[in-house]
Amino acid sequence: MTDTETKLLEFIQENVPSFQIDLEKDGDTPLNQLGVDSLDKMSILLNVQEHWNKEFTPDEIGELKSFLDICRAAEKQ
Amino acid sequence: MSKSTRILKIASYLPSDVVDSMERARKFGYERDFLEQKLGTTSLTVKPPGTAASDMCVEATKALGLPEDELSKVGLVVVCTQTPDGHGIPHTSAIVHRKLKLAETCACFDISLGCSGYVYGLAVVTAFMDAQGIRRGLFFTSDPYSEIVDPEDQATSLLFGDASTVTLLGAEGPGWMLTDAVFATQGTGGDAINNYSGKLAMDGRGVFNFAMTAVPKQIRSLFEKCGGSLEEMDLVVLHQGSRYIVDKLRERLKLPAEKVPVHLDGIGNSVSSAIPLTLEAALREHPDAKRVLISGFGVGLSYATGILQSCE
């Protein structure tokens, strides 16, 4: 896992302690299909924004569905 | 002007009618666990048809159990509401004044605030009473949001319950004084909760991000202003937006669960009544508490935090 992926996994597990992910299989699967509900996603995205000093617009947030979507957004310059 | 006005007692009214949220939740694809663990309730209080904010205030006054001769001494009635009787004219506090048959010398006014209203209101009411030498006051919170919530709206229809509280204030006797408070507003994001269309609309993400970032900062700023520390508080009573918001704020504030009561079960988010309802229950459960932090945040992206200190 990259540093970004490791950090994101940590943020998700703060909200959903049992969360595990096989990136090859589920990296592009919407998080809500992996047991992350809408409130947890809100909290995770807030942590991502604070950690990587980003501000996602509502439209961008709508596009952040999967684990890898969020990683790519976090790494985007 | 010396501060002497303190909270003497809090009483409340919760309508006996309830809405089973599970029925609504199924339509949105939510399970019972989500309601219990994230929202904090599977049912919401709802006022009886044909009643208004002032009727709920009257019911809360009955729960206060003041003898009639004590009621006649009340010199101030303030109602915090954003769902006033009619369309707000006349002000709900005047209607409460009539229904309680209070003295003509009693001052009455309303305060239009939502979830931060109890902290703002306490500061206004206590300062007004101190300045005017009023020795008995009633501060109501009453927001029957069932009037404006659309049952089909996923963002709001599982959250809000109707409730009313009354806080009896006086110049002497054992009680709680608001010793310090700080107030703020993020008006640029103030549309996040609105009633522009006649039905409540809420940007849940916007409100969540606001609460998680602004409230901890404000709490820190309060202690920078007045000294002391959050750890010295016996209880921290946060606005009960949802169980999730209370839990996440508690985690950010690094507070143990036993200091941060959650009081949503069977009620829901009762807007300006959420803090006094929680305070009423928490002080009953923790009679030895001496210092309590209260923090309200929400509508208008208005927020306020204060410290209550027990006094003799």
Side-chain angles (χ1 to χ4, degrees):
Chain A
M1 272 193 173
T2 65
D3 287 351
T4 305
E5 290 161 355
T6 303
K7 195 66 196 172
L8 177 58
L9 182 60
E10 192 184 303
F11 287 149
I12 296 176
Q13 287 176 337
E14 278 174 22
N15 290 275
V16 188
S18 60
F19 183 87
Q20 293 294 340
I21 191 163
D22 175 342
L23 283 182
E24 283 198 17
K25 186 170 151 234
D26 285 323
D28 288 309
T29 304
L31 286 173
N32 63 1
Q33 292 176 24
L34 301 174
V36 178
D37 66 38
S38 55
L39 288 179
D40 287 325
K41 192 177 159 199
M42 228 158 50
S43 178
I44 292 160
L45 288 177
L46 177 62
N47 286 341
V48 167
Q49 290 179 93
E50 288 179 332
H51 184 78
W52 280 287
N53 200 20
K54 304 262 174 195
E55 194 161 335
F56 300 138
T57 66
D59 285 347
E60 284 171 326
I61 284 171
E63 298 300 313
L64 302 178
K65 294 188 168 65
S66 71
F67 188 95
L68 290 176
D69 288 340
I70 300 173
C71 285
R72 285 188 282 265
E75 287 172 341
K76 199 170 162 186
Q77 295 300 312
Chain B
M1 182 181 76
S2 67
K3 276 187 181 181
S4 63
T5 303
R6 74 277 315 270
I7 296 172
L8 298 176
K9 192 176 177 185
I10 301 171
S12 58
Y13 165 65
L14 295 174
S16 54
D17 295 357
V18 292
V19 171
D20 179 358
S21 299
M22 272 315 298
E23 231 169 87
R24 290 177 179 174
R26 278 188 208 102
K27 282 190 295 192
F28 305 131
Y30 293 129
E31 303 292 335
R32 179 170 288 273
D33 277 2
F34 180 84
L35 265 59
E36 287 173 347
Q37 291 165 23
K38 299 294 173 70
L39 303 188
T41 185
T42 57
S43 62
L44 304 168
T45 44
V46 59
K47 72 179 178 66
T51 58
S54 67
D55 299 305
M56 292 167 56
C57 294
V58 170
E59 293 301 318
T61 310
K62 288 179 191 167
L64 198 56
L66 272 187
E68 214 165 287
D69 64 320
E70 280 294 312
L71 263 185
S72 68
K73 293 177 190 163
V74 169
L76 174 65
V77 166
V78 175
V79 178
C80 179
T81 184
Q82 290 188 320
T83 39
D85 289 34
H87 294 285
I89 299 176
H91 42 300
T92 300
S93 50
I95 299 170
V96 171
H97 178 276
R98 169 170 56 81
K99 289 180 176 174
L100 293 178
K101 300 185 174 69
L102 299 177
E104 190 173 339
T105 49
C106 176
C108 292
F109 58 91
D110 289 2
I111 291 178
S112 174
L113 277 169
C115 316
S116 64
Y118 191 70
V119 187
Y120 270 90
L122 263 189
V124 170
V125 169
T126 55
F128 189 89
M129 288 177 65
D130 285 337
Q132 299 300 320
I134 296 170
R135 301 186 69 78
R136 274 282 182 278
L138 297 175
F139 173 38
F140 294 93
T141 58
S142 190
D143 262 312
Y145 263 32
S146 61
E147 289 178 359
I148 55 169
V149 166
D150 175 358
E152 302 301 318
D153 180 36
Q154 188 168 343
T156 57
S157 67
L158 302 174
L159 276 181
F160 294 97
D162 295 343
S164 184
T165 72
V166 58
T167 300
L168 172 67
L169 296 124
E172 55 197 23
W176 293 84
M177 284 185 91
L178 183 71
T179 55
D180 287 285
V182 284
F183 308 92
T185 311
Q186 289 185 9
T188 49
D191 291 347
I193 305 171
N194 71 71
N195 184 25
Y196 294 148
S197 68
K199 288 291 176 195
L200 190 69
M202 184 173 79
D203 164 17
R205 184 183 305 281
V207 176
F208 178 82
N209 288 356
F210 155 69
M212 291 302 124
T213 52
V215 174
K217 272 186 209 160
Q218 184 177 62
I219 291 173
R220 282 194 293 276
S221 79
L222 173 64
F223 291 109
E224 281 162 16
K225 177 187 169 199
C226 70
S229 71
L230 183 57
E231 290 68 34
E232 292 168 23
M233 298 294 115
D234 298 312
L235 290 167
V236 173
V237 175
L238 302 171
H239 169 60
Q240 307 283 299
S242 68
R243 181 175 195 111
Y244 194 73
I245 282 199
V246 175
D247 286 347
K248 287 291 154 192
L249 269 177
R250 178 176 59 73
E251 285 172 22
R252 285 196 164 220
L253 295 167
K254 299 184 171 40
L255 289 167
E258 59 269 22
K259 276 195 179 184
V260 187
V262 177
H263 191 65
L264 286 152
D265 190 22
I267 307 168
N269 173 351
S270 54
V271 198
S272 57
S273 294
I275 289 177
L277 275 176
T278 309
L279 195 56
E280 180 193 18
L283 294 180
R284 211 171 28 235
E285 280 173 33
H286 301 271
D288 296 332
K290 299 286 180 208
R291 281 166 297 192
V292 180
L293 181 131
I294 54 175
S295 185
F297 45 86
V299 179
L301 301 192
S302 163
Y303 53 123
T305 299
I307 294 172
L308 296 173
Q309 173 85 43
S310 74
C311 59
E312 295 302 320

